[in-house]
Amino acid sequence: MDIRCRKTKCFYNDKYTCRAKEILIKTNTECDRYEKGDKPAVDKTKWMFTDSPPEYAPQRDSATLQIDCKAKCLFNENGKCVANGITINDLKEKPLCVTFLHE
């Protein structure tokens, strides 16, 4: 499972890969594990139109990460996320799961 987090200020974010031991997506699709760290936010406008793409950390094996979900989502199967991958947004203040599809 590909787990990408765009909340670069989060304590668990390592080059767009989540390093938390577990993730909980709440009923409002917000990531419960978000913890604001002391890292600066990455300004994507600096590389968006250049030849040098951002550096990404290696993908995590989904067996090492528990992803629970309370949202009424198509990928929620008895409280567990069964999507091929999830992405957490960076556009709003709250970290929301953008993989969410209403059931």
Side-chain angles (χ1 to χ4, degrees):
M1 177 183 284
D2 187 26
I3 302 137
R4 292 292 170 202
C5 181
R6 297 177 181 161
K7 294 303 252 187
T8 55
K9 290 189 79 154
C10 182
F11 175 79
Y12 298 105
N13 188 311
D14 175 24
K15 299 178 197 157
Y16 303 99
T17 297
C18 181
R19 295 293 176 207
K21 291 182 180 176
E22 71 274 337
I23 294 174
L24 170 63
I25 303 300
K26 300 189 296 187
T27 55
N28 64 354
T29 72
E30 186 177 340
C31 179
D32 186 61
R33 291 299 296 162
Y34 175 73
E35 186 178 320
K36 195 172 185 179
D38 59 357
K39 301 182 247 183
V42 174
D43 183 2
K44 291 169 206 61
T45 59
K46 290 183 179 179
W47 55 261
M48 192 165 17
F49 299 107
T50 67
D51 292 333
S52 56
E55 187 178 335
Y56 291 97
Q59 179 176 310
R60 287 186 67 186
D61 182 354
S62 60
T64 65
L65 177 66
Q66 180 176 329
I67 303 175
D68 297 322
C69 183
K70 293 184 178 181
K72 291 185 179 180
C73 178
L74 181 66
F75 302 116
N76 183 344
E77 190 172 288
N78 298 317
K80 302 291 180 197
C81 180
V82 295
N84 288 333
I86 65 169
T87 300
I88 305 299
N89 76 343
D90 66 341
L91 301 175
K92 298 180 181 182
E93 185 62 32
K94 293 182 179 182
L96 301 177
C97 177
V98 295
T99 310
F100 172 78
L101 288 175
H102 203 286
E103 59 178 5

